[in-house]
Amino acid sequence: AWKPFELRRPLTSTRLLVGLGVLLFVATIGLWVFWLDRIVYFNTLSVMICLVTSPLLAAVAFVLGVRRRNPRLKFTIMDSLEEAISALAVIAVAEFFVLSLLVFFSSTRPGDYIARYEYTSGGKGCSGLQVYDRELEKHIKICHPDALGAGGKVRVEKRSGPLGITVKRAELL
């Protein structure tokens, strides 16, 4: 019978580290989804860094995984393909999160601008403003619950850095 304060198997350092790793992973995904994703925008350089280094790191992880395999086990080509694709997916997500943190912490130069906006719904988990940012040379979406459906002008406060921008606030005019 199971007792509430007794573990079925002893708690080892490996199990503790894996548990803490999973908890840290879930916390960082929550941090990214509910906070960083809504305020961080990448420039062209950071997108290129992500597109170049993700496949390279995935290839290194795949080669290291193949070298560590047990030679007595039989692996098919599909197993190897699944391993390569999963390594690429995990590394791309991790790199995207780390790059978001780098953009957030490296954006130190304050700035602001006034621009016309259009109301948009959905995307990035919120409704808000779609504004053209001259520094990034693309339209960005800023979550703003008070946005008018007809559009108008907005003052955007941001911090710029070498890898992108972080939007601090947007004020309707």
Side-chain angles (χ1 to χ4, degrees):
W2 183 78
K3 296 178 183 171
F5 297 106
E6 198 173 299
L7 297 173
R8 292 183 198 167
R9 287 183 258 159
L11 185 63
T12 61
S13 59
T14 304
R15 295 176 95 202
L16 183 64
L17 286 176
V18 168
L20 288 175
V22 168
L23 184 65
L24 181 65
F25 178 74
V26 169
T28 54
I29 292 294
L31 173 75
W32 181 75
V33 166
F34 294 112
W35 182 52
L36 280 179
D37 184 45
R38 297 180 182 204
I39 63 171
V40 171
Y41 300 91
F42 299 130
N43 64 13
T44 309
L45 173 65
S46 57
V47 171
M48 293 304 291
I49 288 171
C50 196
L51 289 175
V52 169
T53 57
S54 288
L56 290 177
L57 290 174
V60 168
F62 175 72
V63 168
L64 290 176
V66 167
R67 291 188 66 196
R68 295 185 71 185
R69 283 188 182 160
N70 187 341
R72 291 178 286 171
L73 299 176
K74 302 294 181 203
F75 290 98
T76 64
I77 293 176
M78 283 305 293
D79 292 335
S80 298
L81 186 62
E82 288 172 2
E83 184 180 342
I85 290 172
S86 62
L88 179 62
V90 167
I91 287 174
V93 168
E95 187 173 7
F96 195 71
F97 177 74
V98 168
L99 205 55
S100 294
L101 284 175
L102 285 174
V103 169
F104 180 77
F105 288 116
S106 69
S107 298
T108 57
R109 193 176 61 245
D112 63 347
Y113 61 91
I114 295 174
R116 292 192 122 344
Y117 75 88
E118 295 177 7
Y119 175 79
T120 61
S121 60
K124 286 208 176 222
C126 65
S127 61
L129 320 169
Q130 185 170 4
V131 178
Y132 183 77
D133 189 89
R134 290 185 301 267
E135 183 178 345
L136 298 178
E137 297 179 352
K138 66 180 179 181
H139 284 88
I140 62 173
K141 181 171 182 184
I142 301 170
C143 296
H144 201 293
D146 299 331
L148 302 173
K153 287 191 174 184
V154 65
R155 181 174 176 261
V156 178
E157 292 181 18
K158 66 178 183 175
R159 294 197 180 270
S160 302
L163 298 173
I165 66 167
T166 302
V167 173
K168 291 299 178 187
R169 64 181 270 222
E171 179 182 347
L172 298 177
L173 300 177

